[in-house]
Amino acid sequence: MFNTVNGIPGHVLLVHAVVILVPLAGALAILATVWPAARRRLGIITPLAALLALLFVPLASGAGEWLQEHVPETPLVAKHAEMGGGLTAWAALLFLLSALAWLLPELTARGRALPSILTARWVQPALGSAVCLIAVVAVIQTVRIGDSGAKAAWDGKVSSSVIGGGG
């Protein structure tokens, strides 16, 4: 769908949204988990940011698959493609957990009856721990995948000394 934009591979453009949205969603999820006042102020923004990240990850991956077929196959490209395929699962978990972490207190505040398993004392701390863990892993994976992509694109193509007329 976004294979190229004005002749530029779409993957190169879409990954910028991913490297902004996944860490943003992770940071908001952690903030909303550890600081109840922030959770109340952020409201639905946290799960919406995670949803937006989740939507962009497969778009970037799909455009990356197209790009992989149009560049020379190298071990670095293969490693990046393999790593990139796993980010969708982490983004999906981040969205699901941050949505649940927002929804449970929201429903409770509105007086909705919830199944007893969701109101058990251990649920909120366990959910908060899971949100923080998944947020950290999603951000780390995003950085690792981005680093492998940068190496695949730029390894051996940049000189440490000035080339040409620049000074």
Side-chain angles (χ1 to χ4, degrees), residues 10-11 59-69 81:
H11 179 71
L59 288 176
S61 293
E65 290 170 5
W66 179 89
L67 181 59
Q68 185 179 11
E69 295 172 357

Short mmCIF file of all heavy atoms in Angstrom, two decimals, residues 10-11 59-69 81:
data_model
loop_
_atom_site.label_atom_id
_atom_site.label_comp_id
_atom_site.label_asym_id
_atom_site.label_seq_id
_atom_site.Cartn_x
_atom_site.Cartn_y
_atom_site.Cartn_z
N GLY A 10 8.46 3.52 1.11
CA GLY A 10 7.54 3.84 2.19
C GLY A 10 8.04 3.40 3.55
O GLY A 10 7.77 4.05 4.56
N HIS A 11 8.78 2.29 3.58
CA HIS A 11 9.30 1.78 4.85
C HIS A 11 10.15 2.84 5.55
O HIS A 11 10.04 3.03 6.76
CB HIS A 11 10.11 0.51 4.60
CG HIS A 11 10.70 -0.07 5.84
ND1 HIS A 11 9.93 -0.70 6.80
CD2 HIS A 11 11.98 -0.13 6.29
CE1 HIS A 11 10.72 -1.12 7.78
NE2 HIS A 11 11.96 -0.78 7.50
N LEU A 59 2.09 -1.58 9.08
CA LEU A 59 2.28 -0.79 7.86
C LEU A 59 3.77 -0.69 7.52
O LEU A 59 4.17 -0.88 6.36
CB LEU A 59 1.70 0.62 8.03
CG LEU A 59 0.19 0.75 8.04
CD1 LEU A 59 -0.22 2.19 8.32
CD2 LEU A 59 -0.40 0.27 6.72
N ALA A 60 4.58 -0.39 8.52
CA ALA A 60 6.03 -0.31 8.30
C ALA A 60 6.60 -1.67 7.93
O ALA A 60 7.46 -1.77 7.05
CB ALA A 60 6.72 0.24 9.55
N SER A 61 6.12 -2.73 8.58
CA SER A 61 6.60 -4.08 8.26
C SER A 61 6.24 -4.49 6.84
O SER A 61 7.06 -5.06 6.13
CB SER A 61 6.02 -5.09 9.25
OG SER A 61 6.51 -4.87 10.54
N GLY A 62 5.01 -4.21 6.44
CA GLY A 62 4.59 -4.54 5.08
C GLY A 62 5.41 -3.80 4.04
O GLY A 62 5.85 -4.38 3.04
N ALA A 63 5.63 -2.51 4.28
CA ALA A 63 6.47 -1.74 3.36
C ALA A 63 7.91 -2.23 3.40
O ALA A 63 8.62 -2.20 2.39
CB ALA A 63 6.40 -0.25 3.72
N GLY A 64 8.34 -2.72 4.57
CA GLY A 64 9.68 -3.29 4.69
C GLY A 64 9.84 -4.57 3.90
O GLY A 64 10.90 -4.83 3.32
N GLU A 65 8.79 -5.40 3.87
CA GLU A 65 8.83 -6.63 3.08
C GLU A 65 8.98 -6.29 1.60
O GLU A 65 9.73 -6.95 0.88
CB GLU A 65 7.58 -7.47 3.33
CG GLU A 65 7.56 -8.08 4.71
CD GLU A 65 6.22 -8.72 5.06
OE1 GLU A 65 5.32 -8.77 4.18
OE2 GLU A 65 6.08 -9.17 6.22
N TRP A 66 8.25 -5.28 1.15
CA TRP A 66 8.39 -4.84 -0.24
C TRP A 66 9.82 -4.36 -0.49
O TRP A 66 10.44 -4.73 -1.49
CB TRP A 66 7.40 -3.71 -0.55
CG TRP A 66 7.52 -3.21 -1.95
CD1 TRP A 66 6.87 -3.68 -3.05
CD2 TRP A 66 8.37 -2.15 -2.41
NE1 TRP A 66 7.27 -2.98 -4.17
CE2 TRP A 66 8.19 -2.04 -3.80
CE3 TRP A 66 9.27 -1.30 -1.78
CZ2 TRP A 66 8.86 -1.10 -4.57
CZ3 TRP A 66 9.96 -0.36 -2.55
CH2 TRP A 66 9.75 -0.26 -3.93
N LEU A 67 10.34 -3.55 0.42
CA LEU A 67 11.69 -3.01 0.25
C LEU A 67 12.73 -4.13 0.24
O LEU A 67 13.67 -4.10 -0.55
CB LEU A 67 12.00 -2.01 1.37
CG LEU A 67 13.37 -1.33 1.32
CD1 LEU A 67 13.56 -0.57 0.02
CD2 LEU A 67 13.54 -0.41 2.53
N GLN A 68 12.54 -5.12 1.09
CA GLN A 68 13.49 -6.24 1.15
C GLN A 68 13.60 -6.94 -0.20
O GLN A 68 14.69 -7.41 -0.58
CB GLN A 68 13.06 -7.24 2.23
CG GLN A 68 14.05 -8.37 2.44
CD GLN A 68 13.60 -9.34 3.52
OE1 GLN A 68 12.46 -9.30 3.97
NE2 GLN A 68 14.50 -10.20 3.92
N GLU A 69 12.51 -6.99 -0.95
CA GLU A 69 12.54 -7.61 -2.27
C GLU A 69 13.20 -6.73 -3.32
O GLU A 69 13.46 -7.19 -4.43
CB GLU A 69 11.11 -7.94 -2.70
CG GLU A 69 10.45 -8.99 -1.84
CD GLU A 69 8.97 -9.16 -2.16
OE1 GLU A 69 8.44 -8.42 -3.02
OE2 GLU A 69 8.36 -10.05 -1.54
N ALA A 81 15.02 -7.80 8.96
CA ALA A 81 13.68 -8.28 8.59
C ALA A 81 13.17 -9.31 9.60
O ALA A 81 12.00 -9.28 9.99
CB ALA A 81 13.73 -8.89 7.19
#
